Amino acid sequence: MNALAARFNSVFGADMAGPLAALAVVLIFFGFASPHFLTGATFGSVAFQLPELGVPTLAMLMPILTGGLNLAITFTANIAGLTLAWTLQANGGIEAGPGAFLLGSLLALAVGAASGLVMGLVIAFTRAHPILVSLSMMIFLRGLGEFLTRGGDISGFPTFIAPIGHGSILGIPVPLLILIACVIASHVLLSRSKLGFSTYMIGSNMESARYSGINTRKVLVLVYMLSGVMAAVAGIIMLARFNSVRVGHGESYLLITVLACFLGGINPFGGFGRVLPVFVALIVLQLLSSGLNLLGANQHLTTAVWGILLIVVMVLRWFSAKFIRIVK
């Protein structure tokens, strides 16, 4: 048994055991509970819906690895989506061309980066707690968005945008391809770059990282800027999926992004965790949501289950850590 566990850890990593076990439990439970669960329709639906949750989770991942948090990701996504929508509206609305979409997307990414830049600068130079800083940014972006839109939606976009949210290439949903590209980019950044190494160092021990020569302020600013850019990508995907933008789209995703990170083995205090287990955890949560829908549960119950699951994950991780200390 120990040899099997050691081989598993060498191939997949020790942090992959929990997400894969959860995936197996979800597949087995709902496979027996509903005859429609293990079907192509269910997995196709999951493939299209997963990026709405997955990209914001990647936006949450890097701040958590530094020991921080970005509570503004959903409203950053909304403001970025609104920026793209306003650009399209200003260039003909439904008649807008690809050039207007490209310009709007670049502006949306810039807005996301600016949001992260402000948070990163405040956190890095004032030592204010990331929760307070990102909460303040969240309130600001929400208020700004509601003021500019008067609480309404913006809709009416060119038809060529629809495939970004609903199209497929060789049978693979375009949103899923975008998510996979973001997962690969995040994995490479964290595991193969100096910024990734510095991110883990800061999460493990900020003072040690500073004494080792790492420019901790610069790293924090870059981390929150990248988080904002990733949130902006989520905003563009949501615009294409819903064919409309409003303040509050995806607001419930904030809880799930944190849950996915913890279920994927990310240390809530920073310094440890990988992208791939988080990706598997995202699949688990989306399958869980689809399974509950097939059983007739409404979205409110699904949200409640996610909240309970977050508590269960924290308790199980505490028991696991305690058991490891006893064994040692």
Side-chain angles (χ1 to χ4, degrees):
M1 182 64 72
N2 290 337
L4 182 62
R7 183 170 180 79
F8 177 91
N9 292 342
S10 66
V11 175
F12 298 102
D15 53 352
M16 190 67 86
L20 287 178
L23 178 62
V25 170
V26 168
L27 289 174
I28 293 172
F29 176 82
F30 286 108
F32 281 106
S34 172
H36 304 292
F37 182 71
L38 298 177
T39 62
T42 297
F43 292 111
S45 175
V46 168
F48 273 104
Q49 295 175 10
L50 186 63
E52 297 175 29
L53 171 62
V55 180
T57 300
L58 295 177
M60 180 66 79
L61 175 60
M62 286 189 69
I64 291 182
L65 287 175
T66 65
L69 205 63
N70 184 359
L71 298 177
I73 54 172
T74 55
F75 289 103
T76 299
N78 291 331
I79 289 294
L82 287 170
T83 300
L84 173 56
W86 287 323
T87 304
L88 293 171
Q89 292 289 329
N91 288 274
I94 296 177
E95 305 298 326
F101 175 74
L102 178 60
L103 174 62
S105 297
L106 292 175
L107 291 174
L109 295 175
V111 166
S115 169
L117 173 63
V118 172
M119 287 186 290
L121 288 173
V122 174
I123 292 169
F125 285 90
T126 71
R127 305 286 184 90
H129 199 287
I131 291 179
L132 296 177
V133 176
S134 60
L135 178 63
S136 301
M137 180 58 72
M138 180 186 77
I139 295 171
F140 167 72
L141 293 176
R142 179 173 188 170
L144 178 64
E146 289 179 344
F147 169 75
L148 294 174
T149 62
R150 292 174 173 80
D153 294 6
I154 297 178
S155 58
F157 307 122
T159 55
F160 66 81
I161 294 178
I164 298 175
H166 302 278
S168 298
I169 297 177
L170 300 177
I172 304 175
V174 173
L176 182 61
L177 291 174
I178 296 174
L179 172 61
I180 291 173
C182 291
V183 168
I184 294 173
S186 298
H187 172 72
V188 171
L189 177 68
L190 288 172
S191 61
R192 297 284 187 265
S193 72
K194 182 179 179 180
L195 176 61
F197 173 77
S198 300
T199 298
Y200 286 112
M201 285 288 291
I202 289 174
S204 298
N205 191 306
M206 176 78 78
E207 293 302 318
S208 295
R210 184 179 295 111
Y211 288 131
S212 66
I214 293 175
N215 188 336
T216 57
R217 289 176 173 175
K218 179 181 178 180
V219 171
L220 285 173
V221 171
L222 288 175
V223 163
Y224 280 88
M225 284 183 67
L226 290 172
S227 176
V229 169
M230 195 66 75
V233 173
I236 296 171
I237 293 175
M238 287 191 286
L239 179 147
R241 286 280 297 163
F242 303 138
N243 197 35
S244 67
V245 186
R246 68 174 176 83
V247 177
H249 267 169
E251 188 173 359
S252 62
Y253 293 163
L254 183 62
L255 162 69
I256 312 167
T257 61
V258 177
L259 173 57
C261 288
F262 291 168
L263 183 60
I266 302 298
N267 189 331
F269 301 105
F272 179 81
R274 295 188 300 142
V275 175
L276 296 182
V278 173
F279 182 62
V280 176
L282 286 167
I283 298 174
V284 171
L285 294 176
Q286 194 60 64
L287 287 171
L288 177 62
S289 176
S290 298
L292 290 172
N293 287 337
L294 288 173
L295 296 181
N298 61 33
Q299 184 60 41
H300 299 296
L301 179 59
T302 302
T303 303
V305 170
W306 278 330
I308 291 297
L309 184 58
L310 178 57
I311 296 175
V312 171
V313 168
M314 289 188 291
V315 172
L316 288 177
R317 290 182 67 167
W318 178 81
F319 273 115
S320 176
K322 188 173 183 180
F323 175 76
I324 290 174
R325 286 197 299 269
I326 292 175
V327 171
K328 289 182 178 180

